[in-house]
Amino acid sequence: MANDKPAAGGAAPLPKNVCPACKTPNELNSLTCKKCGEIIKKSGKGSKAPQEYDATEGSFSPACIVIPAVLILGAVLFFLLAVGRGPKPGTCEYNQGQLGKALWRYNKAHPESRMTTLNQDELIRPSRGGKPQLKERLTCPVDPSARYEIDTDGVTVICTRCTKKR
Ligand SMILES: [Zn+2]
Ligand SMILES: [Zn+2]
């Protein structure tokens, strides 16, 4: 038999199921000491870990649902913000944009007679292609007496009421 005595010092953690009273090594699954009958406490930490693993195994973790939901929600919000960023129909800014597009199309169709003073009657008149550059006359929703004009850059349409003079 090998002469391997345990190290001195009673407070040291006992290897395997060594009896805390008489230091007799016992079987791992033995509950009491085979020599003195002392109750041997099993080291609980080793057997607890698999149970914690089983608890998470097969069950839905909230993070599995919440994280994708947040990602999808963020993507939807980003999409809505990106699409709805422009001026809404019915606002003066929207009208200015529509008039600006109509003006750009008109000047492209009539490069030799570019419109220098905004003429909505001219824009709603059907062009050579049969379609008018502008569907209908637009008036400022804030102040109907305001007028839309071509800005000094010759491209942008401004409102005499809403657009701040630079
Ligand atoms: Zn014992
Ligand atoms: Zn306006």
Side-chain angles (χ1 to χ4, degrees), residues 19 22 33 36 38:
C19 175
C22 68
C33 177
C36 68
E38 178 77 18

Side-chain angles (χ1 to χ4, degrees), residues 92 140 148 159 161-162:
C92 188
C140 176
Y148 289 115
C159 173
R161 168 73 160 74
C162 304

Side-chain angles (χ1 to χ4, degrees), residues 19 28 39 42-43 52 57 63-64 72 76 94 97 109 124 140 142:
C19 175
L28 275 174
I39 296 173
K42 288 190 176 182
S43 54
E52 289 179 351
E57 181 79 11
C64 294
I72 292 169
V76 169
Y94 180 82
I124 61 176
C140 176
V142 179

Side-chain angles (χ1 to χ4, degrees), residues 44-158:
K45 290 181 179 178
S47 60
K48 200 175 181 181
Q51 286 181 341
E52 289 179 351
Y53 181 77
D54 288 343
T56 54
E57 181 79 11
S59 63
F60 280 110
S61 173
C64 294
I65 303 167
V66 170
I67 291 176
V70 168
L71 288 175
I72 292 169
L73 194 67
V76 169
L77 280 175
F78 180 81
F79 178 77
L80 289 176
L81 285 173
V83 169
R85 196 187 299 170
K88 292 178 181 176
T91 64
C92 188
E93 288 77 14
Y94 180 82
N95 289 351
Q96 292 170 35
Q98 293 295 107
L99 288 167
K101 288 176 188 173
L103 176 67
W104 183 83
R105 285 193 293 263
Y106 180 90
N107 286 338
K108 195 182 179 187
H110 308 84
E112 69 285 345
S113 58
R114 293 171 62 89
M115 188 178 288
T116 52
T117 304
L118 189 66
N119 186 348
Q120 292 202 42
D121 293 329
E122 184 72 20
L123 290 177
I124 61 176
R125 185 179 303 166
S127 61
R128 279 172 248 174
K131 287 174 64 179
Q133 311 297 349
L134 189 67
K135 289 179 183 176
E136 56 184 354
R137 288 184 63 93
L138 295 173
T139 54
C140 176
V142 179
D143 184 1
S145 65
R147 289 186 305 106
Y148 289 115
E149 297 176 346
I150 299 175
D151 202 1
T152 49
D153 60 4
V155 178
T156 311
V157 175
I158 59 171

